[in-house]
Amino acid sequence: MTSIAQFAPASAMQPLPEIDQHPESRHAVIVCNPDRHSFDHSIALRYAETVRGAGHEVVIRDLYAMGFDPVLKIAEQPSNQAFAPARDVARELQELAGCEVFVLVYPIWFGTPPAMMKGYIERVLGAGVRPQPVQQGSPTALLGHKTLLSFTTSATTNVWLDEQGQLMALRQVVDLYLVHAFGMRKQSHVSFDHITEDMSDHFAQQYLLEVEEEAKRVCVDIDALSNGAGRAQG
């Protein structure tokens, strides 16, 4: 678990604000860490600030602050019955509607995302999705042709994670699987290592600068797509 309060901006000392929440939001930032002082929260805030500075809109979903229930219910499993999302899932689907970029921010715990993030993928991102479209890679209503970006943090080093095959496995099991299963357009994964209590301010700021650059890159990419679509329609 990472707790880097000394590197977090003052706004990270409170639960992340749910800013610009409406269907026209362009980027959905989904952060999962129980420590509101965590470096993951700093990443989420820096990404959101950069995106807003580029003229894009953002909605932040802070899963622990929300008290999100990650447990998939039997009624939410695929069946021959018409899918009716639970109230909390329906609310999330409404908040995420219209987003073109989905950003996952989480620490690596024992080789995988936290259970709450996995539950959000199961209950919200995969809501109502049946096995056959997943196998075919058919675009889903929520995520089809959208962009996936992941930021992960670890107290260990990327060298050690690579030796264990961890980073490659995480990209295969989470990122690439989601892109195929939900018919997304593309994915990118940024892994920050050695996130510890004794991490220097210079080290932390270098990482946050990398977050900014990634956010700007995604904004340029989305703007190019939008402009291309506009010219095609014209």
Side-chain angles (χ1 to χ4, degrees):
M1 184 181 301
T2 58
S3 178
I4 318 295
Q6 63 267 38
F7 303 123
S11 53
M13 299 306 172
Q14 299 298 325
L16 286 173
E18 298 177 0
I19 54 179
D20 294 340
Q21 290 183 355
H22 47 79
E24 292 75 26
S25 294
R26 301 288 294 281
H27 301 245
V29 179
I30 304 162
V31 59
C32 185
N33 193 309
D35 184 355
R36 68 175 184 270
H37 300 158
S38 74
F39 194 65
D40 295 291
H41 285 72
S42 295
I43 291 170
L45 285 170
R46 183 64 63 90
Y47 183 93
E49 290 165 358
T50 304
V51 164
R52 296 182 75 192
H56 289 214
E57 298 176 3
V58 180
V59 55
I60 291 181
R61 310 308 291 156
D62 185 343
L63 302 189
Y64 274 92
M66 293 160 46
F68 177 73
D69 179 3
V71 180
L72 183 73
K73 313 301 189 294
I74 188 170
E76 297 172 320
Q77 294 178 330
S79 70
N80 293 326
Q81 304 298 320
F83 177 72
R87 184 177 301 176
D88 61 335
V89 172
R91 178 176 182 267
E92 290 305 301
L93 293 175
Q94 182 179 12
E95 297 292 350
L96 300 177
C99 289
E100 298 178 31
V101 181
F102 290 79
V103 184
L104 309 182
V105 186
Y106 60 90
I108 301 173
W109 285 350
F110 299 103
T112 61
M116 192 173 283
M117 177 66 81
K118 182 63 166 59
Y120 195 85
I121 292 171
E122 292 174 359
R123 297 193 65 224
V124 178
L125 302 187
V129 178
R130 298 178 59 81
Q132 185 174 5
V134 168
Q135 294 176 18
Q136 298 171 345
S138 302
T140 64
L142 178 64
L143 297 177
H145 305 300
K146 307 300 173 61
T147 295
L148 175 68
L149 173 60
S150 298
F151 292 103
T152 57
T153 59
S154 175
T156 60
T157 66
N158 283 340
V159 171
W160 185 86
L161 291 173
D162 277 332
E163 289 175 350
Q164 311 309 310
Q166 177 59 61
L167 294 180
M168 180 180 294
L170 198 60
R171 289 184 174 93
Q172 289 285 345
V173 172
V174 180
D175 302 322
L176 294 178
Y177 180 86
L178 293 183
V179 167
H180 172 77
F182 297 139
M184 301 184 78
R185 186 173 66 90
K186 61 189 301 185
Q187 63 84 29
S188 181
H189 190 127
V190 180
S191 177
F192 295 130
D193 63 346
H194 201 64
I195 306 300
T196 60
E197 291 284 358
D198 60 353
M199 182 173 66
S200 70
D201 181 66
H202 174 76
F203 198 49
Q205 293 307 322
Q206 285 296 112
Y207 275 165
L208 293 177
L209 181 60
E210 191 171 343
V211 172
E212 283 187 27
E213 294 303 316
E214 192 68 17
K216 291 175 182 177
R217 181 194 63 77
V218 172
C219 288
V220 169
D221 185 41
I222 294 300
D223 286 341
L225 281 174
S226 299
N227 292 336
R231 286 192 297 270
Q233 292 176 1

